[in-house]
Amino acid sequence: MFDKKIRPRRLRISENIRSLVRENILTEKNLIYPIFVVPGENIREEISDMPGQFHLSVDRAVEVAKKISALGIPAVEIFGLPEYKDEIGSAAWDMSSPVQRAISAIKKSVPELAIVGDVCLCQYTSHGHCGKLCGNYVDNDETLKLLQKVAVSQAESGADIVAPSDMMDGRVSAIRDALDEKNFFNVSIMSYTVKYASAFYGPFRSAADSAPQFGDRKQYQMDFANSREAMKEVELDIEEGADIIMIKPALAYLDIVSKVREKINLPVATYNVSGEYSMVKAAAAKGWIDEKRIVLESLTSMKRAGADIIITYHAPEVAEWLK
């Protein structure tokens, strides 16, 4: 029976009323913008699978970082293509590699901007897997030693946060030990705690030249059918000293974001990954969707699910739209 005294539409009647009762508000302060750095100088080449995103030399990455900071976005995450690859991905901790040089240059030019370093080996190994191989198996414990080197090299370059994305067991603890041993007590760890083996990563693997040369990553990334396992990963990373817990991808995994948010008190991040980004760009280019409305709705859904931090390629446009 309709009780005419109870009308939820009263609180939707105008924008000012809606804004007063809005439960979740997306701001530019929630965002991290990913940057892809490459060897060379004065390079700005659009990534074919990710319209509007670019491979940048270090000098051009600094220019982008300045613009990001001016928009009020608090952080960037640095990914890179190395000058060389080998079996163990040693360019990942080479202080002359683009990532380390970009971290250092950005920190010098834009000291207020928080810098996140991606700690992984896939774009640095000749085989494209995220660790040291033993036959066709990624050796978990041997890989931890390499990840420690990567994290320390990024901290030495000036990273404020290191973000292990490899999904090796025990890597948060190993990285925390390595950072603390070098007196990097204040460098945070944003762990890719719940990272699924996902088809949504396709454009990124093209952008980072990181596709595996054989097989797939299902022996270490999570099965997308599982949710209880996600909570196990969260518990382990908290025990090991993670400062921020990340779920990746975002849109198809908002149920996981919500479950994690309900269970923990640490900040929760999610990664609005390349496939999610590129699908929106492709549909918008066809005129099938309103890009601004779709993006703002999607990112707000991540906030609504419980994400405090959203890593997204849409960050510069969103910051402009929110003004």
Side-chain angles (χ1 to χ4, degrees):
M1 190 73 177
F2 175 30
D3 184 345
K4 294 184 179 181
K5 295 178 182 179
I6 301 172
R7 295 180 181 269
R9 286 184 58 189
R10 291 191 191 107
L11 298 182
R12 305 172 193 152
I13 205 69
S14 72
E15 173 53 30
N16 280 340
I17 297 294
R18 291 192 296 272
S19 69
L20 284 173
V21 298
R22 189 162 290 140
E23 298 172 24
N24 295 282
I25 299 174
L26 177 72
T27 82
E28 70 277 2
K29 298 301 182 186
N30 301 128
L31 309 178
I32 296 176
Y33 182 56
I35 294 176
F36 295 93
V37 293
V38 297
E41 294 182 2
N42 196 32
I43 294 172
R44 183 179 183 271
E45 298 176 346
E46 188 168 32
I47 299 168
S48 60
D49 293 353
M50 299 176 66
Q53 303 305 307
F54 297 86
H55 285 137
L56 303 165
S57 53
V58 170
D59 53 324
R60 302 299 294 271
V62 170
E63 295 174 6
V64 169
K66 289 178 179 178
K67 293 176 182 177
I68 292 299
S69 182
L71 287 168
I73 297 167
V76 293
E77 183 166 3
I78 309 298
F79 299 90
L81 278 70
E83 293 187 2
Y84 63 92
K85 298 189 179 193
D86 58 28
E87 283 292 306
I88 60 171
S90 59
W93 60 87
D94 186 333
M95 294 299 285
S96 65
S97 285
V99 165
Q100 282 76 7
R101 291 192 296 111
I103 292 171
S104 179
I106 291 170
K107 182 54 67 177
K108 181 177 180 180
S109 297
V110 200
E112 69 277 11
L113 192 66
I115 301 176
V116 182
D118 176 68
V119 178
C120 198
L121 297 171
C122 58
Q123 60 263 53
Y124 301 96
T125 55
S126 53
H127 46 77
H129 279 282
C130 298
K132 184 176 180 179
L133 291 182
C134 179
N136 287 340
Y137 176 76
V138 175
D139 189 314
N140 190 95
D141 295 2
E142 288 299 312
T143 297
L144 297 183
K145 301 172 187 177
L146 306 182
L147 297 173
Q148 288 177 312
K149 294 182 180 182
V150 180
V152 169
S153 74
Q154 293 179 357
E156 289 174 342
S157 300
D160 303 283
I161 302 169
V162 294
S165 60
D166 54 283
M167 288 300 287
M168 297 298 114
D169 294 337
R171 84 265 205 223
V172 171
S173 179
I175 288 170
R176 186 74 269 162
D177 288 345
L179 291 172
D180 289 355
E181 184 178 342
K182 295 292 185 178
N183 294 320
F184 290 115
F185 304 108
N186 290 326
V187 173
S188 300
I189 298 176
M190 178 169 65
S191 177
Y192 287 64
T193 299
V194 183
K195 182 177 180 180
Y196 286 92
S198 172
F200 285 101
Y201 304 148
F204 177 93
R205 290 179 179 174
S206 174
D209 189 26
S210 61
Q213 297 302 302
F214 63 89
D216 53 39
R217 295 181 177 141
K218 293 180 180 179
Q219 63 171 249
Y220 40 100
Q221 294 179 0
M222 283 181 53
D223 185 335
F224 61 73
N226 294 354
S227 61
R228 293 191 299 272
E229 184 184 8
M231 301 313 301
K232 178 180 180 180
E233 291 283 4
V234 170
E235 291 169 4
L236 289 171
D237 276 8
I238 291 175
E239 289 174 4
E240 292 178 25
D243 299 287
I244 302 168
I245 298 298
M246 189 201 300
I247 296 93
K248 178 184 180 183
L251 284 173
Y253 298 88
L254 294 183
D255 60 320
I256 308 300
V257 175
S258 180
K259 286 182 180 181
V260 172
R261 173 73 289 159
E262 290 175 0
K263 293 291 185 181
I264 72 171
N265 293 319
L266 290 181
V268 174
T270 195
Y271 199 141
N272 179 211
V273 297
S274 59
E276 298 166 353
Y277 170 86
S278 294
M279 287 193 296
V280 169
K281 286 291 185 181
K286 289 283 189 179
W288 294 340
I289 61 170
D290 181 322
E291 181 177 353
K292 176 180 176 180
R293 291 182 62 193
I294 286 286
V295 171
L296 292 178
E297 182 177 342
S298 296
L299 298 191
T300 300
S301 76
M302 298 170 202
K303 281 278 291 182
R304 189 180 67 242
D308 305 289
I309 299 165
I310 301 170
I311 304 166
T312 179
Y313 304 98
H314 296 291
E317 291 82 6
V318 170
E320 294 281 5
W321 295 333
L322 292 176
K323 289 182 179 181

